[in-house]
């Protein structure tokens, strides 16, 4: 395991504990104590995943996440204060893949990190669901091996979680998934998060792949239940 994790938090106790637990699992860890240092380490160390506190000096987590998302889709786990739902939603809206509320268990952080990185490096396609790793449907192409999505030949940048959600729905055309089911399938361990997380990711996904996000062609809402992909693959 050679993945590099960056942990950015102005609380040295948090960064020290996160470093110990992550290094114990074989990850290489770099830490930042403020927003400016986080940006510098991101640029120089190219981490495979970032653990990012929202409230830091010089640059806050929202600003850092927004800057990173301008150029790459490295997975980001946000750290937020307990009970600050608006902070969590803002972080997810800006492109975070997951969040943890403080105080949190470092073991839970390790589980989240493992789950996200495992999804990035493991190809898991059921032969009963698809005969190939590529799904095509009315201008939309999803290549699971390359982890690429095209709309009418144009590459679309998706985060890890957005890609997994799209592939899950598109590989089961017409099947309705509840928000709880999507949490269970995308986060492959016992997840106790708010299902609003799914709603926010779906909204971001629609903004990227739909011509009209308010009248989606691909991802349909089934009111009171969840979401489904509109049609079959070709």
């Amino acid at each position: 395991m050679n993945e590099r994790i960056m942990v950015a938090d102005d609380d040295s106790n948090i960064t020290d504990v996160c470093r110990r637990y992550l290094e114990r699992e074989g990850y290489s860890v770099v830490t930042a104590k403020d927003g400016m240092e986080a940006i510098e380490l991101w640029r120089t160390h190219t981490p495979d995943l970032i653990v990012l506190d929202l409230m830091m000096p010089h640059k806050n987590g929202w600003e850092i996440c927004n800057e990173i998302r301008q150029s790459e889709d490295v997975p980001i786990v946000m750290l937020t204060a307990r009970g600050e739902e608006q902070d969590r939603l803002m972080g997810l809206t800006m492109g975070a893949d997951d969040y943890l509320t403080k105080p949190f268990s470092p073991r839970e952080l390790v589980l989240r990190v493992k789950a996200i990185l495992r999804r990035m490096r493991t190809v898991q396609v059921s032969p009963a669901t698809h005969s190939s790793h590529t799904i095509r449907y009315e201008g939309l192409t999803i290549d699971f091996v390359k982890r690429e999505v095209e709309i009418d030949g144009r590459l679309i940048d998706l985060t890890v979680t957005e890609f997994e959600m799209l592939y899950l729905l598109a590989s089961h055309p017409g099947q309705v998934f509840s928000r709880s089911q999507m949490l269970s399938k995308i986060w492959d361990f016992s997840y106790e998060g708010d299902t609003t997380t799914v709603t926010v990711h779906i909204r971001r996904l629609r903004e990227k792949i739909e011509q009209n996000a308010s009248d989606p062609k691909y991802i349909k809402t089934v009111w009171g239940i969840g979401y489904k992909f509109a049609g079959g693959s070709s």
Side-chain angles (χ1 to χ4, degrees), residues 26-37:
Y27 297 109
S28 172
V29 181
V30 294
T31 62
K33 61 182 179 298
D34 60 52
M36 294 301 293
E37 187 177 10

Side-chain angles (χ1 to χ4, degrees), residues 155-221:
L155 279 174
I156 306 297
D157 290 327
L158 299 181
T159 66
V160 174
T161 303
E162 290 164 356
F163 183 92
E164 292 292 330
M165 284 188 164
L166 177 59
Y167 192 84
L168 172 65
L169 292 169
S171 61
H172 299 81
Q175 180 175 337
V176 180
F177 289 91
S178 70
R179 292 171 180 83
S180 295
Q181 285 177 317
M182 293 185 74
L183 281 173
S184 176
K185 289 180 178 295
I186 300 299
W187 285 263
D188 53 352
F189 58 92
S190 179
Y191 184 83
E192 299 177 355
D194 186 344
T195 56
T196 306
T197 302
V198 174
T199 305
V200 175
H201 281 300
I202 290 291
R203 183 169 71 237
R204 281 183 52 83
L205 183 55
R206 282 173 169 164
E207 289 171 353
K208 292 181 178 182
I209 69 170
E210 302 282 3
Q211 185 173 2
N212 182 357
S214 61
D215 184 21
K217 171 183 177 181
Y218 302 115
I219 300 176
K220 300 290 188 180
T221 299

Side-chain angles (χ1 to χ4, degrees), residues 85-198:
E85 181 180 7
Q86 190 58 43
D87 288 350
R88 296 196 297 272
L89 294 180
M90 179 72 78
L92 292 170
T93 299
M94 286 191 162
D97 293 274
D98 202 353
Y99 67 85
L100 282 170
T101 55
K102 295 180 178 180
F104 60 89
S105 163
R107 291 185 179 87
E108 183 178 5
L109 172 63
V110 170
L111 286 174
R112 302 287 180 99
V113 168
K114 281 185 174 181
I116 293 174
L117 293 177
R118 185 162 53 243
R119 296 203 307 268
M120 289 185 65
R121 64 177 178 260
T122 305
V123 176
Q124 295 176 336
V125 180
S126 168
T129 303
H130 275 294
S131 58
S132 74
H133 298 312
T134 302
I135 298 172
R136 295 182 178 86
Y137 177 72
E138 292 190 6
L140 171 66
T141 302
I142 307 168
D143 188 320
F144 190 72
V145 175
K146 294 182 179 179
R147 303 191 71 82
E148 290 181 349
V149 174
E150 293 184 3
I151 298 291
D152 297 325
R154 177 173 54 93
L155 279 174
I156 306 297
D157 290 327
L158 299 181
T159 66
V160 174
T161 303
E162 290 164 356
F163 183 92
E164 292 292 330
M165 284 188 164
L166 177 59
Y167 192 84
L168 172 65
L169 292 169
S171 61
H172 299 81
Q175 180 175 337
V176 180
F177 289 91
S178 70
R179 292 171 180 83
S180 295
Q181 285 177 317
M182 293 185 74
L183 281 173
S184 176
K185 289 180 178 295
I186 300 299
W187 285 263
D188 53 352
F189 58 92
S190 179
Y191 184 83
E192 299 177 355
D194 186 344
T195 56
T196 306
T197 302
V198 174

Side-chain angles (χ1 to χ4, degrees), residues 16-51:
D16 288 347
V17 169
C18 290
R19 178 199 289 274
R20 287 201 305 272
Y21 274 78
L22 290 167
E23 287 182 342
R24 190 179 302 167
E25 297 297 323
Y27 297 109
S28 172
V29 181
V30 294
T31 62
K33 61 182 179 298
D34 60 52
M36 294 301 293
E37 187 177 10
I39 289 293
E40 181 63 24
L41 287 178
W42 161 61
R43 289 172 175 163
T44 58
H45 286 73
T46 58
D48 298 290
L49 183 144
I50 296 171
V51 179

